[in-house]
Amino acid sequence: MIRPIVAYGDPILKKKALEINIDEPGELKSLIKDLWDTMYNAKGVGIAAPQIGISKSIFVADFSFFKDEDNFFENELINMKQVFINPNIIKEKGDNYTYPEGCLSIPNISENVTRKSSLKIKFFDENLSPHKMECSGIIARVIQHEYDHLKGILFTDKLKYKERKKLREELNLISIGDVDVKYKMSFFKN
Ligand code: CO
């Protein structure tokens, strides 16, 4: 089911998501399906559960969008489309690199964000099988962005004070629903 995407300004986006109990995960299938449906409907490449109003530690990503990027196949991807349950970034390394990021919860805004170039992550897949994966470049970037959502961090939090100040008005308008967007959103202040 396509769910409304929670817009910037909703406190759920600032909250740390709860870990899923792997021994008793509850109903995950429909949550996973909702994440995919909502992400594809909004033409996103990744989405985290808090963005559909559920504060649980899970995100999904479809990396196939980037398959023509340099070094894409140097990554040891388990699947092109991956579900990450209770992800844990064990290590981030490499040089800092800057890349423009956007977010389905912050439509029409794109800003350069600096992060480490590679990482090692542990997570469970949709069958609750554990995995470890090392990746870099754009794959790592998508994972870092979605992982941050589970910690209550948005890419705008990573910007320098001056850049954030420039966006303040625009972010304010998004939070009250004064934004031109093609997919359904929910606005906390409405
Ligand atoms: Co995002």
Side-chain angles (χ1 to χ4, degrees), residues 132-178:
K132 227 181 244 177
M133 187 170 123
E134 270 187 74
C135 53
S136 60
I138 190 67
I139 307 292
R141 176 61 62 135
V142 173
I143 290 173
Q144 287 161 328
H145 177 110
E146 299 309 331
Y147 185 79
D148 269 357
H149 274 297
L150 305 179
K151 306 286 174 208
I153 299 164
L154 300 172
F155 82 83
T156 45
D157 298 325
K158 316 279 271 187
L159 301 175
K160 293 195 185 82
Y161 176 74
K162 246 171 117 182
E163 297 164 328
R164 225 170 30 225
K165 207 173 152 196
K166 268 190 283 176
L167 291 176
R168 200 176 283 163
E169 182 64 14
E170 227 175 319
L171 291 171
N172 218 6
L173 290 174
I174 291 173
S175 71
I176 60 170
D178 188 355

Side-chain angles (χ1 to χ4, degrees), residues 89-128:
I89 292 182
I90 313 161
K91 195 158 77 181
E92 282 187 302
K93 54 184 182 171
D95 300 331
N96 286 328
Y97 96 111
T98 301
Y99 193 88
E101 291 187 27
C103 181
L104 295 176
S105 293
I106 313 173
N108 311 333
I109 291 183
S110 172
E111 290 291 330
N112 277 325
V113 180
T114 302
R115 299 183 190 265
K116 292 273 182 218
S117 61
S118 61
L119 60 83
K120 193 186 224 177
I121 187 169
K122 280 200 309 191
F123 61 94
F124 295 88
D125 67 17
E126 66 270 42
N127 302 312
L128 304 175

